[in-house]
Amino acid sequence: MIKQLLIGIVCSAAVLTFGILIGHFGINKSSNSAPSWVKDVTKDVDESFIEKFLSEVDNIQIQENLRELTKVPHMATTAGDEQTVQFMLKRWQDPETGLDQAWREEYMVYLSFPDPNNPNKVTVVSPSETVLYAAREKEKSYTPDQDDPEVVQPYAAYSPAGHPKGKLVYANQGKPSDYHLLNTTVDLRGTIAITRYGGAGRADKAINGAPYGVIGVLVYTDPLDINDGVMSDLNETYPHSWYLPPSGVERGSFNTHYGDLLTPYLAAKDETYRIPVKDITGIPPIPIQPIGFEDAYKLICELGGEAAPALWQGSFNCIYNFGGPGFKLTSAFNNSDVKLDIFNHEKLKNSSNVMGVIRGSVEPDRYVIYGNHRDSWVHGAIDPSSGTSVMLELTRVLGKMVKQGKWRPRRSIIFGSWGAEEFGLIGSAEYTEQYFTKLSERTVAYINVDIAVFANATLRASGMPSLQNVIFKASKQVDAPGLDSTSVYDNWIQYANRTSPTHGLIPKVGYLSGAGSDYAAFVHYLGITSMDISYTYDKSKTSARIYPAYHTAYDTFDYASKFIDPGFISHQAIARTAGNVLIRLADSLVLPLNCSDYAETLEDYLNTAVTLYEQQLQNRHISMEPIKRAVASFRNAATHLDQVIRSSDLANETPLKVRRINDQLMLLDRAFLDPLAFPEKYAFRHVIWASSSARKPTFPGLADAYAKAESLVESSAWDKVHYHLSVLSQAIEGAAHTLEDVI
Amino acid sequence: MIKQLLIGIVCSAAVLTFGILIGHFGINKSSNSAPSWVKDVTKDVDESFIEKFLSEVDNIQIQENLRELTKVPHMATTAGDEQTVQFMLKRWQDPETGLDQAWREEYMVYLSFPDPNNPNKVTVVSPSETVLYAAREKEKSYTPDQDDPEVVQPYAAYSPAGHPKGKLVYANQGKPSDYHLLNTTVDLRGTIAITRYGGAGRADKAINGAPYGVIGVLVYTDPLDINDGVMSDLNETYPHSWYLPPSGVERGSFNTHYGDLLTPYLAAKDETYRIPVKDITGIPPIPIQPIGFEDAYKLICELGGEAAPALWQGSFNCIYNFGGPGFKLTSAFNNSDVKLDIFNHEKLKNSSNVMGVIRGSVEPDRYVIYGNHRDSWVHGAIDPSSGTSVMLELTRVLGKMVKQGKWRPRRSIIFGSWGAEEFGLIGSAEYTEQYFTKLSERTVAYINVDIAVFANATLRASGMPSLQNVIFKASKQVDAPGLDSTSVYDNWIQYANRTSPTHGLIPKVGYLSGAGSDYAAFVHYLGITSMDISYTYDKSKTSARIYPAYHTAYDTFDYASKFIDPGFISHQAIARTAGNVLIRLADSLVLPLNCSDYAETLEDYLNTAVTLYEQQLQNRHISMEPIKRAVASFRNAATHLDQVIRSSDLANETPLKVRRINDQLMLLDRAFLDPLAFPEKYAFRHVIWASSSARKPTFPGLADAYAKAESLVESSAWDKVHYHLSVLSQAIEGAAHTLEDVI
């Protein structure tokens, strides 16, 4: 009986267990089983995937990308450009390593070219019209690259054609103050001014001179500004080093706006309305032409007149005089004119962006955009092909994972290979005009990697403060090129740092206030959180304004692989760092954007503004209390949102809560847009990051309005300061409102 | 043994069952149990809740709301206005029937008032300065309401003060064409023009006359335009009917912009920058004063000069002459002047919005906004208190459900009781300026119910086409007031209908192209999908431009309850219809916004534009192909999105997919915004719905640009047509992009 009882108990227990097992595993809780999507929507970034990504980024692949991209010159809309279009499409449509989709988008844009049949000329002409000297029409060859017939003659894009002839004067950097000073000693009417690069925008060197009667402008790169004084190609400059040979000439767009000049705020499609050419603003009103320092030396050292001030002197072994106007009595050029024969002409040309996409799995309607321009002035090994080679390596590694089914990002990733950047950021600007609303609504961030490697000393990063933290995180996980057991971050902090009230000593991230590359339309027109990174030089070792071969015929694969990044390990470090940021932006459950770091910048700006302006504004009965309150509101709201993020168990809450927080973070920069804040600046709408002529580390529109009011007598100029303060206060309060509890 | 076996089997079965039950219900499937939020996020609108809501909306409650709101005049910023602020707050903060939260928001705004100590005067003055006739300074009393000392004297807000005196002329409606014609027979310099309401905006009657030398303007309501000709208060007009008594005067804001005049695009906070008063545009440059038809009759029937054209004749039993200028020889006023003594003055005053919120449960960061202004000119029983009474009944019914824990909407609902609307939609405009970004990003729709009941014949609805369908759905569920077993929808379709290519015969929903009420800032400045509904009259039975007591001292509870809506059953129908739409917008899983109905409107606009303009544009080499392609893209994208919605089992898919579709629907109107599209129109940015002087049923900016180009000789005016076509094409293509697959 006991045995039977025991058997009964054991059997019952077994049956009960069996029942429990059936009940638990065998029957679906129809009303309460988790839908299959629950796991997907709560997934966070996978650190092991990032490790795998980092290990797969290959320096030799980048090197080979660069070799392919630099085979021929690929100036915008030329046959060489089309070759790179095809190459990008081939790579992005590759069945093994390509993206989900890739295609081209075309715009009909207004470009400016020299005439190959009538090269631009710069000559010294005697009173009897004898040509005493002629500047080089092309750069000297050191490798077959420079002999390629497709190397475009050095010219100033958007300089008008014309044949000005006049006495030469030296106008330093062509700044307003330079012409002002020069004009006090020389009558500038009818003169040709020679200027050096730096200090003022390219077009400004002509725009600033024309009101004084200057009729033509030359521009050159002084060895002081680019070569640390070095000048001889016998043993000093390229091909012996990275320095610019004497005949090297920086080309460029002489245009102060960005985007297609004929279709402001409209995508340049075939039938789009185009403004009359005469209504274009921001381009040189008089002919301008760039020359090499070899030629500049011949002209400047012969100039008569008084000696120019010490700050105007360059590296030439002569005194830089103002010009008599014209050459000195003792010169063979005495009494001669300088003549420009400029045959530039403008054309509507078809420029392509190449676009590629990896579809997001969970939030396909959220975009992380990564881009760089594709067009160069000549072979463009560094500018822009270093960045394009990096982008192609990223898409190869990520594309392979996608094609193999091993990975798909949470959010969509869009890659853009922009056209016609060199003429004024045209491809990216037209893209943002065409897709304005869609991009505004859905873009999490834009990553720009244009010149990936200027030099191999340290990382350089610029961007919105909210991105600082993810850049730090990514750069800590990447080895610094050529250094054992030092991270990119640890190396960087030694070259550029600052003390943050919150974080202590950290690397210094710059701001994207200008329009130096394709981030401009994303930052200034769309208000999208953006960043730009590269590897760059040690400023203690060179005073070069930029890498010396910039925009010349020497920016070739040979130059890049010998002097900029032998072994392509700095390229690899940039690919790893940028790719790491990209993956974190695309895959993180909560976006890695930190709004408190934005608050720190606003406080910093505010403190500077109070120090610089408050006393004088009080005298004018303009209160800074509203902007102080606005910045304080922003700080409080940011602290609160951080607290919500920290204290929530977001992986276990409704995905709509995560989405809500992510929308707050994503849209933060949009709150700073005001299309009326800068009526005189084309397509600048972000009140925190606009370009500023006052160059103060504070709110740009306030600084400019204040500087203007100080320089004018009309008291209405102070109204504009007050107005801009109200614009700022409202924008910052508005941004704070978006960070508060959503209702 | 068999028995034991049976017992064993039964016991085992029982134990097994018990085990299964334990296993199924007793143990949580930790790895696979549905999180508690899954059910919430997939919940759709609850039809039984809507039925309950409809049954609880009470006409007597609405009547009592109106009685309370109309106790005293409540012109903006007066003590009576403050009384209504307190009343709204008390109701919305009621612990039993209030909202989650309610508060006031204040703005310091620029208003214009007459001087109670120096009433405005209109007199006929003989050459010897004898006053031969003086117009009434206040309206005649029929009920104690008109005797309230707080009844503001009739005046034209924003008319400048001044004392013009001159010969009288009759300028019909004061349109440009009216003054043009009048000026061909009379020298208008130094004259006073009398005009009738209608045909042109209030301020325009003065703005249009001033260039001809007119120095003062009178405006009155002709009985033809408001009273179906009826004139006598002995037995015809109020208090005998809804018609306007002879002394009734329509007050109003004489201001062509909207929002605070001193703080364009900025919320009018205390320290906000204010433009100089001299820079205000869009207000009368010369004094203007409204009068009753009793006085207008005395003046017009004495006028000399030629007879005005037939279209200028009104209901008075005399010939309306142009004026000699001045009165006829046979008149007692012969050779006399009309003199205006206007003592209006402007003040900065503190105006309040009252805001209330019901927090959303699932998507608190999505807002449905429902609003109406609170301020009136006098007692404002119909304008605006009929709408406010309805809003208070909605909040009572919904608030009670919330307080009882029976309901909480999926999305947040924001109620706005706007201040200072009568002076130019000021409260709502300032609100949208202050919270621009937050509202742009999160608002699903805005529902405006200002005058809820003009009359009791039929529903009238205006709004974006995407809302048409939910208005239809809601109106089908509400009984038409006073009709057995007829729905509001079935009644409506008899009064106003059209044939839709898609839907066949449907009620006609109007467009919100103007700035007639507080929807203006939501539609034109923010691009938020908006609607405005009311009950209104049978146009076959009256030619009144509006209900006759509009903006007069007769718009009282007595008038409303006797002549507009006895029993308040039309108010109840509006509360039910608007509330039903509100609940559907707040609770539906997929937003009830139909993008294909938007496509139909765009096609309609396009067809009209092609018919009216294409031939002439072709002659000018301006192609309409881009806009045709854009509209076709929009239609395809809309069809595709509809298909996605129809074919998805959204209650069982990731909530992020529903959110994605809802974002596409919510943000659709934002794609039509272009802050540069209408440089001459303040705060008009929506390219589809702007006001238009050309008054063609097509794209407003295109129609205006075309009309202007046709009237001018300069060919550059055609450039503006081409430009605007490009703006439209880009906006419509941009909108289409947002409806396509998100990547």
Side-chain angles (χ1 to χ4, degrees), chain B residues 148-159:
Chain B
D148 191 309
E150 293 302 315
V151 172
V152 72
Q153 188 201 6
Y155 77 113
Y158 301 109
S159 162

Side-chain angles (χ1 to χ4, degrees), chain A residues 281-296:
Chain A
T281 55
I283 59 173
I286 52 177
I288 179 166
Q289 172 74 12
I291 59 176
F293 65 76
E294 176 184 6
D295 290 315

Side-chain angles (χ1 to χ4, degrees), chain A residues 255-530:
Chain A
N255 161 10
T256 62
H257 292 356
Y258 67 86
D260 177 51
L261 288 171
L262 294 184
T263 57
Y265 301 110
L266 293 171
K269 294 294 178 182
D270 289 6
E271 292 166 300
T272 302
Y273 171 69
R274 286 173 166 77
I275 63 170
V277 167
K278 68 173 172 52
D279 291 351
I280 295 175
T281 55
I283 59 173
I286 52 177
I288 179 166
Q289 172 74 12
I291 59 176
F293 65 76
E294 176 184 6
D295 290 315
Y297 175 82
K298 293 282 168 45
L299 299 175
I300 286 176
C301 289
E302 301 298 312
L303 277 174
E306 292 174 31
L311 278 173
W312 291 35
Q313 302 297 318
S315 283
F316 298 151
N317 57 356
C318 66
I319 304 292
Y320 291 50
N321 295 326
F322 284 135
F327 300 103
K328 53 191 167 192
L329 289 171
T330 56
S331 167
F333 300 162
N334 175 33
N335 217 17
S336 296
D337 286 331
V338 167
K339 183 165 187 240
L340 276 58
D341 289 290
I342 307 301
F343 298 96
N344 293 348
H345 57 287
E346 292 78 34
K347 273 191 208 165
L348 280 186
K349 296 269 281 177
N350 207 331
S351 172
S352 292
N353 294 336
V354 179
M355 306 302 303
V357 154
I358 301 177
R359 271 191 303 281
S361 54
V362 176
E363 297 181 275
D365 58 339
R366 288 297 175 261
Y367 308 154
V368 183
I369 308 182
Y370 181 109
N372 179 29
H373 66 104
R374 197 185 55 254
D375 67 306
S376 56
W377 280 114
V378 191
H379 295 82
I382 295 301
D383 181 7
S385 307
S386 61
T388 308
S389 300
V390 162
M391 177 159 68
L392 282 171
E393 178 58 0
L394 290 189
T395 57
R396 182 191 69 84
V397 174
L398 298 178
K400 199 173 73 178
M401 308 272 202
V402 169
K403 296 287 182 189
Q404 291 176 348
K406 291 181 179 161
W407 176 72
R408 179 162 291 286
R410 178 183 182 89
R411 305 182 179 88
S412 295
I413 302 178
I414 298 176
F415 293 95
S417 172
W418 316 119
E421 188 262 9
E422 294 295 4
F423 288 83
L425 321 180
I426 295 179
S428 56
E430 299 309 302
Y431 174 72
T432 59
E433 287 166 352
Q434 182 171 3
Y435 297 101
F436 183 85
T437 306
K438 189 163 102 166
L439 297 175
S440 298
E441 290 168 0
R442 299 175 189 167
T443 309
V444 163
Y446 175 66
I447 301 172
N448 195 64
V449 182
D450 178 344
I451 296 172
V453 181
F454 289 87
N456 53 20
T458 175
L459 190 73
R460 176 169 83 172
S462 303
M464 269 67 152
S466 44
L467 277 164
Q468 168 183 284
N469 197 48
V470 68
I471 299 172
F472 290 171
K473 186 154 195 173
S475 63
K476 284 176 182 169
Q477 293 181 314
V478 176
D479 294 334
L483 297 174
D484 271 350
S485 62
T486 300
S487 70
V488 163
Y489 178 93
D490 289 336
N491 179 59
W492 179 22
I493 201 170
Q494 296 172 44
Y495 285 90
N497 58 57
R498 69 178 180 96
T499 303
S500 148
T502 315
H503 308 292
L505 193 76
I506 50 171
K508 185 163 183 168
V509 174
Y511 299 147
L512 296 176
S513 49
S517 185
D518 292 299
Y519 55 76
F522 291 93
V523 172
H524 301 300
Y525 188 50
L526 287 173
I528 285 172
T529 310
S530 300

Side-chain angles (χ1 to χ4, degrees), chain B residues 53 127 136 150 199 239 270 274 328 425 446 547 608 639 702 739 743:
Chain B
F53 163 80
R136 270 183 177 278
E150 293 302 315
D270 289 6
R274 287 174 165 75
K328 51 192 169 191
L425 322 180
Y446 175 66
Y547 72 99
T608 304
T639 303
L702 177 63
L739 298 180
I743 197 82

